[in-house]
Structures are given as structure tokens and as C-alpha cells.
Amino acid sequence: MSTSVAPARETVRAADRVASARRHVSASETVSQTLTMAWRALKKMRRNPEQFFDVALQPILFTAMFAYVFGGAIAGNVENYLPLMIPGILAQTVLTTCMATGTQLREDMEKGVFDRFKSLPIARIAPLAGPMVADLLRYTIAAVLTFGMGLVMGYRPGGGAPGVLAAVLLAIFTGWSLAWIFTWVGTIARSAQAVQGISMMILFPLTFLSNAFVPVESLPGWLAAFVRINPVSHLVTAARDLANSGTMSGDVGWTLLAGLVVIAVFAPLSVRSYKRHI
């Protein structure tokens, strides 16, 4: 008695078929697709205005709180403390704002939003970079409100409008570059809560163990050594030099270099980790 054996059939996922048939996406198409995803994220923000609560309230609350609580103890009065504090608040506000990038990414992945992008012939970096481009609006709002609150409280930047603008642009670039770290965390963490917890453990020590709110000279030697090499300290010092005196110090170059290194490392890692999930 002979038995017929059916030929084995290779099982191929639909996503794999699409991936194998996907044509090469040019650089111009990647930029266009990224901007399309950014526009989608902006429309989502318009429908969910609570996404602006942190950037709208945190600069006002933190500026007033830190000035009146620590101003007298550190600088003698609030007016003398503002030139030291405002650039520090700028750095803290923009950097803490970029933490939300990874959290929102993880939430979208959990809801299945990114499943819709599997069959689209788009660059894999577009769904990741698009929301980050949209987040530039949130960074800008946070930075403007920080300086605006400082002006209301009596802060008068010696660098004038050009120095303040340069400090804001530098802080926005740094926040955008660091957001790639949290984007990568969003692709590897198992939940949005985990992303938020990991992000806080990364960013809060870097922010508060810096020269953002106190002079380095007042710190113990071992702590001062860490603060001087902390990338956040370079950002704060660069922002102070630009806003308070209009000078471009070497810290500006170090801050830009650090941001470019972060992008070069974590942007590919984010895309690679994202591709594993699809």
C-alpha cells in the first residue's frame, strides 16, 4: 500500500512578502514621508491638547518654584539667581519634554498603530522620525515659556534676542537628539510605564547632577568632577554664555558634537529595533 506525501509548502508571512517586494526608498522620498508622519503627529496633538500640558505648565511652575525657593539661599536674592537658573530651567524643561517621545511611541505600538505601516512602501525611519519632528513644536513652546516666565520675574539676558534665540535653538537640537535615546527605549521596553521609568532613571540624574541650578564651585570635589564632564552641564554653560553675554564658548561645540554622536548611534539602533517588531 503506497502512501502519497503532499509536497511541503513554505509558509511565508504576508509582511515578509511585502518586505521582499518593497522598492528602494530614495532620500527625498524619506524626507517627504517623514514630514507626512510629522503632520499626522501634529494633527494628533491638535485632537489631544493634553499633550501640551507638560510643556505649558512645567516651565512656569519650575521657574517660579526654583527661583523663590533657592534664589535667596544660592545667590542672595531672586534677581541675581535668574541668570544662573533660567538657562538651567531651559535645559531641564526641553530634556524632560523629550522623554515623552518614547512613551508615546510605545503606546502607539501597543495600540497597533504601527501595524498599519507594515504594508506601506515607506522608509522605516519615517514613522519614528516623523513624530520627533512634530515634537520640535513642543520643545519650542517649552523654551519660549521658560524665557517668557524669566522676563516676567525680572530676568534681563545680556545677550539680547540673538543670544536667547541661539540658546533656544541649541536646547531644541539637544532635546531632539536625546529623544532618539528614548525612541530606542520605546522600541525595546514592554510597556509605556516601563519606558517612562527607564527614561526618568536616565535623565533625572543627568539633569540634577549638573550645574543647572547651583555653581560647580559649591559642590564637593568628587561630585564637581562628574558635573564638569556631564553633557547636560555643557548645554547649560553654553546656553548661559549665549543668553547672558552673547558669546559662543567651546561648550557650544561640545554640545553639538554630543548631539550628533547620539543621533549617529541611537537612530540606527531605533530603526533596527523597530524593524524587529514588524
Side-chain angles (χ1 to χ4, degrees):
M1 181 177 180
S2 62
T3 58
S4 60
V5 180
R9 295 182 178 179
E10 182 181 359
T11 303
V12 181
R13 295 190 309 160
D16 293 336
R17 293 196 186 100
V18 173
S20 62
R22 183 178 289 111
R23 64 182 179 83
H24 176 70
V25 181
S26 66
S28 60
E29 289 175 326
T30 300
V31 173
S32 176
Q33 293 159 6
T34 299
L35 294 178
T36 300
M37 290 296 176
W39 178 246
R40 170 188 172 273
L42 287 174
K43 293 176 67 176
K44 179 183 176 183
M45 292 180 187
R46 187 183 64 181
R47 298 189 182 98
N48 298 277
E50 61 270 12
Q51 293 188 19
F52 291 101
F53 285 174
D54 56 343
V55 298
L57 298 179
Q58 181 174 316
I60 298 174
L61 178 62
F62 277 27
T63 301
M65 182 177 65
F66 277 81
Y68 290 114
V69 172
F70 299 113
I74 295 176
N77 56 62
V78 173
E79 184 177 353
N80 292 334
Y81 186 50
L82 289 177
L84 174 75
M85 182 199 70
I86 294 299
I89 292 289
L90 171 68
Q92 183 204 37
T93 301
V94 172
L95 297 185
T96 53
T97 299
C98 74
M99 289 195 309
T101 302
T103 303
Q104 293 171 4
L105 171 65
R106 186 69 252 178
E107 289 178 348
D108 284 345
M109 294 179 70
E110 291 176 350
K111 294 176 181 177
V113 174
F114 279 76
D115 291 339
R116 304 174 185 176
F117 304 143
K118 292 180 180 180
S119 60
L120 298 179
I122 62 175
R124 287 310 184 198
I125 197 173
L128 302 178
M132 292 179 59
V133 173
D135 281 342
L136 292 175
L137 175 63
R138 301 176 72 246
Y139 304 153
T140 302
I141 293 174
V144 170
L145 287 179
T146 298
F147 275 104
M149 187 62 182
L151 292 173
V152 170
M153 297 178 64
Y155 174 54
R156 298 296 180 265
V164 170
L165 178 60
V168 168
L169 292 177
L170 182 64
I172 291 174
F173 167 77
T174 305
W176 189 82
S177 61
L178 289 181
W180 280 109
I181 298 178
F182 304 118
T183 297
W184 175 68
V185 172
T187 61
I188 64 173
R190 296 186 177 181
S191 66
Q193 292 79 6
V195 175
Q196 187 173 13
I198 295 172
S199 301
M200 291 178 65
M201 287 191 296
I202 294 174
L203 194 54
F204 272 37
L206 289 177
T207 303
F208 286 99
L209 295 180
S210 69
N211 63 347
F213 306 112
V214 296
V216 180
E217 295 76 14
S218 65
L219 301 175
W222 62 271
L223 182 56
F226 172 79
V227 169
R228 288 190 179 95
I229 63 174
N230 186 346
V232 177
S233 295
H234 289 294
L235 169 61
V236 173
T237 301
R240 283 185 185 137
D241 293 337
L242 291 169
N244 294 335
S245 60
T247 59
M248 185 175 297
S249 62
D251 290 285
V252 175
W254 285 113
T255 303
L256 293 174
L257 178 61
L260 293 175
V261 169
V262 169
I263 295 173
V265 173
F266 285 95
L269 285 177
S270 299
V271 175
R272 185 178 305 172
S273 179
Y274 166 67
K275 290 173 65 176
R276 285 202 300 264
H277 284 79
I278 61 176

Short mmCIF file of all heavy atoms in Angstrom, two decimals, residues 74-133:
data_model
loop_
_atom_site.label_atom_id
_atom_site.label_comp_id
_atom_site.label_asym_id
_atom_site.label_seq_id
_atom_site.Cartn_x
_atom_site.Cartn_y
_atom_site.Cartn_z
N ILE A 74 21.06 80.55 47.35
CA ILE A 74 22.19 80.33 46.46
C ILE A 74 22.82 81.63 45.98
O ILE A 74 24.04 81.76 45.95
CB ILE A 74 21.75 79.48 45.24
CG1 ILE A 74 21.33 78.09 45.71
CG2 ILE A 74 22.86 79.37 44.21
CD1 ILE A 74 20.80 77.20 44.61
N ALA A 75 21.99 82.61 45.62
CA ALA A 75 22.52 83.85 45.03
C ALA A 75 22.22 85.09 45.85
O ALA A 75 22.56 86.18 45.45
CB ALA A 75 21.96 84.02 43.62
N GLY A 76 21.56 84.94 46.99
CA GLY A 76 21.25 86.09 47.82
C GLY A 76 19.87 86.65 47.57
O GLY A 76 19.20 87.10 48.50
N ASN A 77 19.42 86.64 46.33
CA ASN A 77 18.06 87.08 46.00
C ASN A 77 17.66 86.49 44.65
O ASN A 77 18.50 85.94 43.92
CB ASN A 77 17.96 88.61 45.98
CG ASN A 77 18.96 89.24 45.02
OD1 ASN A 77 18.93 89.01 43.83
ND2 ASN A 77 19.88 90.05 45.57
N VAL A 78 16.39 86.63 44.34
CA VAL A 78 15.87 86.03 43.12
C VAL A 78 16.47 86.67 41.87
O VAL A 78 16.81 85.98 40.90
CB VAL A 78 14.33 86.15 43.09
CG1 VAL A 78 13.76 85.69 41.74
CG2 VAL A 78 13.70 85.35 44.22
N GLU A 79 16.65 87.98 41.88
CA GLU A 79 17.15 88.69 40.69
C GLU A 79 18.54 88.21 40.30
O GLU A 79 18.83 88.04 39.12
CB GLU A 79 17.16 90.19 40.95
CG GLU A 79 17.57 91.01 39.75
CD GLU A 79 17.50 92.50 40.02
OE1 GLU A 79 17.01 92.89 41.10
OE2 GLU A 79 17.94 93.27 39.15
N ASN A 80 19.41 87.99 41.30
CA ASN A 80 20.76 87.51 40.99
C ASN A 80 20.78 86.04 40.60
O ASN A 80 21.72 85.58 39.93
CB ASN A 80 21.67 87.72 42.21
CG ASN A 80 21.93 89.19 42.50
OD1 ASN A 80 21.86 90.03 41.60
ND2 ASN A 80 22.20 89.51 43.76
N TYR A 81 19.76 85.31 40.99
CA TYR A 81 19.72 83.88 40.70
C TYR A 81 19.20 83.58 39.30
O TYR A 81 19.53 82.56 38.71
CB TYR A 81 18.84 83.18 41.74
CG TYR A 81 18.82 81.66 41.64
CD1 TYR A 81 20.01 80.93 41.58
CD2 TYR A 81 17.62 80.97 41.63
CE1 TYR A 81 19.99 79.55 41.50
CE2 TYR A 81 17.59 79.58 41.55
CZ TYR A 81 18.77 78.88 41.49
OH TYR A 81 18.76 77.51 41.41
N LEU A 82 18.40 84.48 38.75
CA LEU A 82 17.77 84.23 37.46
C LEU A 82 18.77 83.99 36.32
O LEU A 82 18.56 83.07 35.52
CB LEU A 82 16.83 85.38 37.10
CG LEU A 82 15.54 85.48 37.93
CD1 LEU A 82 14.74 86.71 37.54
CD2 LEU A 82 14.70 84.22 37.78
N PRO A 83 19.86 84.77 36.18
CA PRO A 83 20.81 84.47 35.09
C PRO A 83 21.45 83.09 35.21
O PRO A 83 21.83 82.49 34.20
CB PRO A 83 21.86 85.58 35.23
CG PRO A 83 21.15 86.68 35.93
CD PRO A 83 20.22 86.01 36.88
N LEU A 84 21.58 82.59 36.43
CA LEU A 84 22.11 81.24 36.64
C LEU A 84 21.06 80.18 36.37
O LEU A 84 21.33 79.14 35.76
CB LEU A 84 22.64 81.10 38.07
CG LEU A 84 23.10 79.71 38.49
CD1 LEU A 84 24.46 79.39 37.86
CD2 LEU A 84 23.20 79.61 40.02
N MET A 85 19.81 80.49 36.78
CA MET A 85 18.77 79.47 36.80
C MET A 85 18.05 79.31 35.47
O MET A 85 17.75 78.19 35.05
CB MET A 85 17.75 79.80 37.89
CG MET A 85 16.63 78.76 38.04
SD MET A 85 15.20 79.41 38.90
CE MET A 85 14.55 80.57 37.69
N ILE A 86 17.74 80.41 34.79
CA ILE A 86 16.90 80.33 33.58
C ILE A 86 17.50 79.41 32.53
O ILE A 86 16.80 78.55 31.97
CB ILE A 86 16.62 81.73 33.01
CG1 ILE A 86 15.77 82.54 33.99
CG2 ILE A 86 15.93 81.63 31.67
CD1 ILE A 86 14.41 81.94 34.27
N PRO A 87 18.79 79.52 32.18
CA PRO A 87 19.35 78.54 31.23
C PRO A 87 19.28 77.11 31.75
O PRO A 87 19.13 76.17 30.96
CB PRO A 87 20.80 79.00 31.04
CG PRO A 87 20.77 80.47 31.38
CD PRO A 87 19.78 80.58 32.49
N GLY A 88 19.40 76.92 33.06
CA GLY A 88 19.26 75.59 33.63
C GLY A 88 17.85 75.06 33.50
O GLY A 88 17.65 73.88 33.17
N ILE A 89 16.86 75.92 33.76
CA ILE A 89 15.47 75.52 33.58
C ILE A 89 15.18 75.22 32.11
O ILE A 89 14.44 74.28 31.78
CB ILE A 89 14.52 76.62 34.09
CG1 ILE A 89 14.64 76.75 35.62
CG2 ILE A 89 13.08 76.33 33.69
CD1 ILE A 89 14.04 75.60 36.39
N LEU A 90 15.78 76.00 31.22
CA LEU A 90 15.62 75.75 29.78
C LEU A 90 16.09 74.35 29.43
O LEU A 90 15.37 73.59 28.74
CB LEU A 90 16.42 76.79 28.99
CG LEU A 90 16.55 76.55 27.48
CD1 LEU A 90 15.20 76.72 26.81
CD2 LEU A 90 17.59 77.48 26.88
N ALA A 91 17.28 73.99 29.89
CA ALA A 91 17.81 72.65 29.59
C ALA A 91 16.94 71.57 30.22
O ALA A 91 16.60 70.58 29.57
CB ALA A 91 19.25 72.54 30.10
N GLN A 92 16.56 71.75 31.48
CA GLN A 92 15.76 70.74 32.15
C GLN A 92 14.40 70.55 31.48
O GLN A 92 13.95 69.42 31.26
CB GLN A 92 15.54 71.12 33.62
CG GLN A 92 14.77 70.07 34.40
CD GLN A 92 14.06 70.65 35.61
OE1 GLN A 92 13.55 71.77 35.55
NE2 GLN A 92 14.02 69.90 36.69
N THR A 93 13.76 71.66 31.12
CA THR A 93 12.42 71.58 30.54
C THR A 93 12.44 70.88 29.19
O THR A 93 11.61 69.99 28.91
CB THR A 93 11.83 72.99 30.39
OG1 THR A 93 11.77 73.62 31.67
CG2 THR A 93 10.43 72.91 29.80
N VAL A 94 13.38 71.26 28.33
CA VAL A 94 13.44 70.66 27.00
C VAL A 94 13.81 69.18 27.09
O VAL A 94 13.23 68.34 26.39
CB VAL A 94 14.44 71.42 26.11
CG1 VAL A 94 14.66 70.68 24.80
CG2 VAL A 94 13.94 72.83 25.84
N LEU A 95 14.75 68.85 27.97
CA LEU A 95 15.19 67.46 28.07
C LEU A 95 14.12 66.56 28.69
O LEU A 95 13.94 65.42 28.26
CB LEU A 95 16.49 67.37 28.87
CG LEU A 95 17.70 68.08 28.24
CD1 LEU A 95 18.95 67.82 29.06
CD2 LEU A 95 17.90 67.67 26.80
N THR A 96 13.42 67.05 29.69
CA THR A 96 12.35 66.24 30.27
C THR A 96 11.17 66.11 29.31
O THR A 96 10.45 65.11 29.32
CB THR A 96 11.87 66.82 31.61
OG1 THR A 96 11.52 68.20 31.43
CG2 THR A 96 12.94 66.71 32.66
N THR A 97 10.98 67.12 28.46
CA THR A 97 9.91 67.04 27.46
C THR A 97 10.18 65.93 26.46
O THR A 97 9.25 65.25 26.00
CB THR A 97 9.78 68.39 26.73
OG1 THR A 97 9.43 69.41 27.68
CG2 THR A 97 8.70 68.32 25.67
N CYS A 98 11.45 65.72 26.11
CA CYS A 98 11.76 64.72 25.09
C CYS A 98 11.55 63.30 25.61
O CYS A 98 11.52 62.35 24.81
CB CYS A 98 13.19 64.89 24.57
SG CYS A 98 14.49 64.37 25.71
N MET A 99 11.38 63.12 26.93
CA MET A 99 11.10 61.78 27.45
C MET A 99 9.77 61.24 26.93
O MET A 99 9.60 60.03 26.77
CB MET A 99 11.08 61.79 28.98
CG MET A 99 12.41 61.98 29.65
SD MET A 99 12.35 61.56 31.41
CE MET A 99 10.94 62.50 31.97
N ALA A 100 8.83 62.16 26.67
CA ALA A 100 7.50 61.72 26.23
C ALA A 100 7.55 61.06 24.87
O ALA A 100 6.61 60.32 24.51
CB ALA A 100 6.56 62.91 26.20
N THR A 101 8.61 61.28 24.09
CA THR A 101 8.70 60.70 22.75
C THR A 101 8.65 59.18 22.81
O THR A 101 7.88 58.53 22.08
CB THR A 101 10.00 61.16 22.06
OG1 THR A 101 10.03 62.58 21.99
CG2 THR A 101 10.09 60.57 20.66
N GLY A 102 9.47 58.58 23.66
CA GLY A 102 9.49 57.13 23.78
C GLY A 102 8.21 56.56 24.35
O GLY A 102 7.74 55.50 23.92
N THR A 103 7.64 57.28 25.33
CA THR A 103 6.39 56.81 25.93
C THR A 103 5.25 56.78 24.92
O THR A 103 4.51 55.79 24.82
CB THR A 103 6.01 57.71 27.11
OG1 THR A 103 7.10 57.74 28.06
CG2 THR A 103 4.77 57.20 27.81
N GLN A 104 5.12 57.85 24.14
CA GLN A 104 4.06 57.89 23.15
C GLN A 104 4.28 56.88 22.03
O GLN A 104 3.33 56.30 21.50
CB GLN A 104 3.96 59.31 22.58
CG GLN A 104 3.50 60.33 23.60
CD GLN A 104 3.61 61.76 23.10
OE1 GLN A 104 3.98 62.00 21.95
NE2 GLN A 104 3.31 62.71 23.97
N LEU A 105 5.54 56.65 21.68
CA LEU A 105 5.84 55.63 20.67
C LEU A 105 5.40 54.26 21.15
O LEU A 105 4.78 53.48 20.41
CB LEU A 105 7.33 55.64 20.37
CG LEU A 105 7.86 54.50 19.49
CD1 LEU A 105 7.26 54.59 18.09
CD2 LEU A 105 9.38 54.53 19.42
N ARG A 106 5.73 53.93 22.41
CA ARG A 106 5.35 52.63 22.94
C ARG A 106 3.83 52.48 23.01
O ARG A 106 3.29 51.40 22.73
CB ARG A 106 5.95 52.47 24.35
CG ARG A 106 5.76 51.11 24.98
CD ARG A 106 6.57 50.07 24.27
NE ARG A 106 5.77 49.15 23.49
CZ ARG A 106 6.27 48.19 22.75
NH1 ARG A 106 7.58 48.02 22.67
NH2 ARG A 106 5.49 47.41 22.07
N GLU A 107 3.13 53.55 23.36
CA GLU A 107 1.67 53.50 23.41
C GLU A 107 1.10 53.23 22.02
O GLU A 107 0.16 52.44 21.87
CB GLU A 107 1.13 54.81 23.97
CG GLU A 107 1.39 55.01 25.46
CD GLU A 107 0.89 56.33 25.96
OE1 GLU A 107 0.53 57.20 25.11
OE2 GLU A 107 0.85 56.55 27.19
N ASP A 108 1.65 53.88 20.99
CA ASP A 108 1.16 53.65 19.63
C ASP A 108 1.43 52.22 19.19
O ASP A 108 0.59 51.60 18.51
CB ASP A 108 1.83 54.62 18.66
CG ASP A 108 1.25 56.02 18.74
OD1 ASP A 108 0.16 56.16 19.33
OD2 ASP A 108 1.89 56.97 18.25
N MET A 109 2.58 51.68 19.56
CA MET A 109 2.90 50.30 19.19
C MET A 109 1.97 49.33 19.90
O MET A 109 1.55 48.32 19.32
CB MET A 109 4.36 50.00 19.52
CG MET A 109 5.35 50.80 18.69
SD MET A 109 7.08 50.47 19.08
CE MET A 109 7.25 48.80 18.43
N GLU A 110 1.62 49.61 21.15
CA GLU A 110 0.71 48.73 21.88
C GLU A 110 -0.70 48.78 21.30
O GLU A 110 -1.43 47.78 21.32
CB GLU A 110 0.68 49.13 23.36
CG GLU A 110 1.98 48.83 24.11
CD GLU A 110 1.94 49.33 25.54
OE1 GLU A 110 0.99 50.06 25.89
OE2 GLU A 110 2.87 49.00 26.31
N LYS A 111 -1.10 49.93 20.78
CA LYS A 111 -2.44 50.07 20.21
C LYS A 111 -2.52 49.52 18.80
O LYS A 111 -3.62 49.49 18.22
CB LYS A 111 -2.85 51.54 20.22
CG LYS A 111 -3.02 52.12 21.61
CD LYS A 111 -3.34 53.61 21.53
CE LYS A 111 -3.49 54.22 22.92
NZ LYS A 111 -3.74 55.69 22.84
N GLY A 112 -1.41 49.13 18.22
CA GLY A 112 -1.42 48.58 16.87
C GLY A 112 -1.34 49.61 15.77
O GLY A 112 -1.54 49.28 14.59
N VAL A 113 -1.03 50.87 16.14
CA VAL A 113 -0.96 51.92 15.12
C VAL A 113 0.13 51.61 14.11
O VAL A 113 -0.05 51.78 12.89
CB VAL A 113 -0.71 53.29 15.78
CG1 VAL A 113 -0.49 54.36 14.73
CG2 VAL A 113 -1.89 53.65 16.68
N PHE A 114 1.27 51.13 14.58
CA PHE A 114 2.40 50.89 13.68
C PHE A 114 2.18 49.65 12.81
O PHE A 114 2.90 49.46 11.84
CB PHE A 114 3.70 50.75 14.48
CG PHE A 114 4.29 52.09 14.87
CD1 PHE A 114 3.73 52.84 15.89
CD2 PHE A 114 5.38 52.59 14.20
CE1 PHE A 114 4.27 54.06 16.25
CE2 PHE A 114 5.92 53.82 14.54
CZ PHE A 114 5.37 54.55 15.57
N ASP A 115 1.21 48.82 13.16
CA ASP A 115 0.90 47.67 12.29
C ASP A 115 0.40 48.13 10.92
O ASP A 115 0.56 47.42 9.92
CB ASP A 115 -0.16 46.79 12.95
CG ASP A 115 0.39 46.08 14.19
OD1 ASP A 115 1.62 45.95 14.29
OD2 ASP A 115 -0.42 45.68 15.04
N ARG A 116 -0.19 49.31 10.88
CA ARG A 116 -0.72 49.82 9.61
C ARG A 116 0.41 50.21 8.65
O ARG A 116 0.18 50.33 7.45
CB ARG A 116 -1.61 51.03 9.87
CG ARG A 116 -2.76 50.77 10.83
CD ARG A 116 -3.51 52.05 11.15
NE ARG A 116 -4.55 51.84 12.15
CZ ARG A 116 -5.29 52.82 12.67
NH1 ARG A 116 -5.11 54.06 12.25
NH2 ARG A 116 -6.20 52.56 13.58
N PHE A 117 1.59 50.46 9.21
CA PHE A 117 2.70 50.89 8.37
C PHE A 117 3.47 49.72 7.75
O PHE A 117 4.37 49.93 6.95
CB PHE A 117 3.67 51.76 9.17
CG PHE A 117 3.02 52.96 9.82
CD1 PHE A 117 3.42 53.37 11.09
CD2 PHE A 117 2.03 53.65 9.16
CE1 PHE A 117 2.82 54.47 11.68
CE2 PHE A 117 1.42 54.75 9.76
CZ PHE A 117 1.82 55.17 11.02
N LYS A 118 3.13 48.49 8.15
CA LYS A 118 3.90 47.34 7.68
C LYS A 118 3.83 47.18 6.17
O LYS A 118 4.85 46.87 5.53
CB LYS A 118 3.36 46.06 8.35
CG LYS A 118 3.62 45.97 9.84
CD LYS A 118 3.05 44.68 10.39
CE LYS A 118 3.29 44.56 11.89
NZ LYS A 118 2.73 43.30 12.44
N SER A 119 2.64 47.36 5.61
CA SER A 119 2.46 47.11 4.19
C SER A 119 2.71 48.33 3.32
O SER A 119 2.56 48.26 2.10
CB SER A 119 1.03 46.60 3.93
OG SER A 119 0.08 47.56 4.35
N LEU A 120 3.09 49.45 3.94
CA LEU A 120 3.31 50.67 3.16
C LEU A 120 4.74 50.72 2.63
O LEU A 120 5.68 50.40 3.36
CB LEU A 120 3.03 51.90 4.03
CG LEU A 120 1.60 52.07 4.55
CD1 LEU A 120 1.50 53.32 5.41
CD2 LEU A 120 0.61 52.14 3.40
N PRO A 121 4.94 51.14 1.41
CA PRO A 121 6.30 51.24 0.85
C PRO A 121 6.98 52.52 1.30
O PRO A 121 7.28 53.41 0.49
CB PRO A 121 6.03 51.23 -0.66
CG PRO A 121 4.69 51.88 -0.81
CD PRO A 121 3.89 51.44 0.40
N ILE A 122 7.24 52.62 2.60
CA ILE A 122 7.84 53.83 3.15
C ILE A 122 9.14 53.47 3.85
O ILE A 122 9.38 52.31 4.20
CB ILE A 122 6.89 54.53 4.14
CG1 ILE A 122 6.58 53.61 5.34
CG2 ILE A 122 5.61 54.96 3.46
CD1 ILE A 122 5.75 54.27 6.42
N ALA A 123 9.97 54.48 4.04
CA ALA A 123 11.22 54.29 4.77
C ALA A 123 10.92 53.91 6.21
O ALA A 123 10.01 54.48 6.83
CB ALA A 123 12.06 55.56 4.70
N ARG A 124 11.68 52.97 6.75
CA ARG A 124 11.42 52.50 8.10
C ARG A 124 11.68 53.57 9.15
O ARG A 124 11.13 53.50 10.25
CB ARG A 124 12.26 51.26 8.39
CG ARG A 124 11.80 50.01 7.67
CD ARG A 124 10.33 49.81 7.86
NE ARG A 124 9.82 48.58 7.28
CZ ARG A 124 8.56 48.35 7.02
NH1 ARG A 124 7.67 49.29 7.25
NH2 ARG A 124 8.17 47.20 6.51
N ILE A 125 12.49 54.56 8.81
CA ILE A 125 12.78 55.60 9.79
C ILE A 125 11.68 56.65 9.85
O ILE A 125 11.55 57.37 10.83
CB ILE A 125 14.14 56.28 9.47
CG1 ILE A 125 14.64 57.05 10.70
CG2 ILE A 125 14.03 57.20 8.27
CD1 ILE A 125 16.04 57.60 10.53
N ALA A 126 10.82 56.72 8.82
CA ALA A 126 9.80 57.75 8.75
C ALA A 126 8.80 57.70 9.91
O ALA A 126 8.51 58.74 10.51
CB ALA A 126 9.08 57.69 7.41
N PRO A 127 8.24 56.53 10.28
CA PRO A 127 7.30 56.51 11.41
C PRO A 127 7.95 56.88 12.73
O PRO A 127 7.25 57.26 13.67
CB PRO A 127 6.82 55.05 11.42
CG PRO A 127 7.07 54.54 10.05
CD PRO A 127 8.32 55.22 9.61
N LEU A 128 9.28 56.75 12.84
CA LEU A 128 9.96 57.11 14.06
C LEU A 128 10.35 58.58 14.07
O LEU A 128 10.16 59.28 15.07
CB LEU A 128 11.23 56.24 14.23
CG LEU A 128 11.03 54.73 14.26
CD1 LEU A 128 12.37 54.03 14.38
CD2 LEU A 128 10.12 54.33 15.41
N ALA A 129 10.92 59.05 12.96
CA ALA A 129 11.40 60.42 12.91
C ALA A 129 10.26 61.42 12.76
O ALA A 129 10.38 62.57 13.20
CB ALA A 129 12.38 60.58 11.74
N GLY A 130 9.15 61.03 12.14
CA GLY A 130 8.04 61.95 11.94
C GLY A 130 7.51 62.55 13.23
O GLY A 130 7.45 63.78 13.37
N PRO A 131 7.12 61.72 14.22
CA PRO A 131 6.66 62.29 15.48
C PRO A 131 7.72 63.13 16.18
O PRO A 131 7.39 64.09 16.88
CB PRO A 131 6.30 61.05 16.31
CG PRO A 131 5.99 60.00 15.30
CD PRO A 131 6.91 60.26 14.16
N MET A 132 8.99 62.79 15.99
CA MET A 132 10.05 63.57 16.62
C MET A 132 10.17 64.95 15.98
O MET A 132 10.47 65.93 16.67
CB MET A 132 11.38 62.83 16.52
CG MET A 132 11.41 61.55 17.36
SD MET A 132 12.99 60.68 17.21
CE MET A 132 14.13 61.93 17.78
N VAL A 133 9.94 65.04 14.67
CA VAL A 133 9.91 66.35 14.03
C VAL A 133 8.74 67.17 14.56
O VAL A 133 8.87 68.38 14.81
CB VAL A 133 9.82 66.18 12.50
CG1 VAL A 133 9.62 67.53 11.81
CG2 VAL A 133 11.08 65.51 11.96
#
